[in-house]
Amino acid sequence: NYGVILNEIGMRPMISAFQREYLWPVARHLFPIEASQFDGHHSFMVRYRAGEDLGLDMHTDDSDVTFNVCLGEVFTGATLSFCGMFGAPGHRRHEHTYRHEVGRAVLHLGNRRHGADDIETGRRSNLIVWNTNDAYRKLGGNRAVEYQREVGEPSRICLSYTHDRDYEVYKELPEAARKQKRNPWCPPPGYEAESKSVRGQNEL
């Protein structure tokens, strides 16, 4: 809710040059398939602070490779938690918590589940660039995976109140989720980890 789409305020040429000269040379070495080429981008600024947006629910990006750099300012909390890859057995298992520092960036695949943890104090602003590869997408892109059954119960921090059918098996819905229209789908029926609670839910 608190941000701006840079491509809509005349900054597309600048971000395109930045993508061509800096992002793509690094990304193609880290992700040679997904970043074999970059053909476009969706670029925006986000801001988190108390009284506005505190964090962002677990999700994957509509990008092939995401660039995320912290621009400021002074804050505590507001970490970025990374979980597994879309459709993988560990899709909802915690792998790493990244701590933002002003001027430092992270590059990650768009189909890795992640979420912005709540800010505690101060204000954090980030520039995010969703990089896209048309050739990769024509082959199915990052959704061209065979969904696999989960191994073990999900990590609590990796649960999404927006997307996960079994969220309430493990956690109480936050106030924000009670105010929105939810259409959870994950994991697809039959692909969740075995547990008494989920088995009972599937039998309803």
Side-chain angles (χ1 to χ4, degrees):
N1 293 331
Y2 296 89
V4 60
I5 299 175
L6 301 183
N7 292 355
E8 295 181 352
I9 59 172
M11 296 185 69
R12 182 188 295 274
M14 186 189 78
I15 300 297
S16 295
F18 176 65
Q19 179 191 62
R20 181 176 60 253
E21 299 296 327
Y22 298 100
L23 295 186
W24 180 62
V26 175
R28 64 177 175 172
H29 287 290
L30 295 174
F31 312 112
I33 297 176
E34 295 85 354
S36 59
Q37 64 188 56
F38 282 160
D39 303 288
H41 60 81
H42 173 64
S43 305
F44 52 99
M45 295 276 297
V46 294
R47 184 181 72 194
Y48 298 97
R49 72 175 178 183
E52 297 180 351
D53 287 338
L54 297 178
L56 185 61
D57 188 29
M58 280 286 161
H59 63 284
T60 55
D61 295 337
D62 186 17
S63 74
D64 299 313
V65 177
T66 295
F67 169 82
N68 185 339
V69 61
C70 180
L71 301 180
E73 303 166 11
V74 178
F75 57 88
T76 59
T79 51
L80 188 61
S81 291
F82 288 100
C83 305
M85 304 300 290
F86 176 82
H91 177 210
R92 299 193 295 169
R93 299 291 298 174
H94 180 254
E95 295 194 5
H96 180 69
T97 294
Y98 173 82
R99 297 187 179 279
H100 289 284
E101 294 180 12
V102 176
R104 190 172 73 164
V106 59
L107 274 170
H108 64 87
L109 293 176
N111 62 342
R112 180 173 291 281
R113 178 174 275 217
H114 60 286
D117 305 315
D118 284 356
I119 195 167
E120 296 170 355
T121 63
R123 181 169 65 180
R124 174 169 71 82
S125 299
N126 284 58
L127 164 64
I128 299 172
V129 181
W130 286 358
N131 302 279
T132 54
N133 178 343
D134 290 346
Y136 176 60
R137 292 188 167 211
K138 286 179 180 178
L139 297 176
N142 58 26
R143 291 298 187 268
V145 297
E146 182 178 348
Y147 210 101
Q148 301 176 64
R149 189 181 190 126
E150 293 185 326
V151 178
E153 291 189 349
S155 302
R156 301 301 190 270
I157 198 170
C158 292
L159 291 168
S160 166
Y161 57 77
T162 303
H163 304 293
D164 293 347
R165 297 185 302 110
D166 56 357
Y167 185 93
E168 292 179 272
V169 171
Y170 303 102
K171 296 173 71 175
E172 184 178 350
L173 278 176
E175 188 64 28
R178 300 179 190 277
K179 297 178 181 179
Q180 69 181 36
K181 182 178 180 181
R182 299 174 63 241
N183 187 27
W185 62 271
C186 180
Y191 287 86
E192 59 277 288
E194 285 289 339
S195 76
K196 181 177 180 180
S197 297
V198 177
R199 282 201 302 270
Q201 185 185 65
N202 288 341
E203 293 167 359
L204 295 178

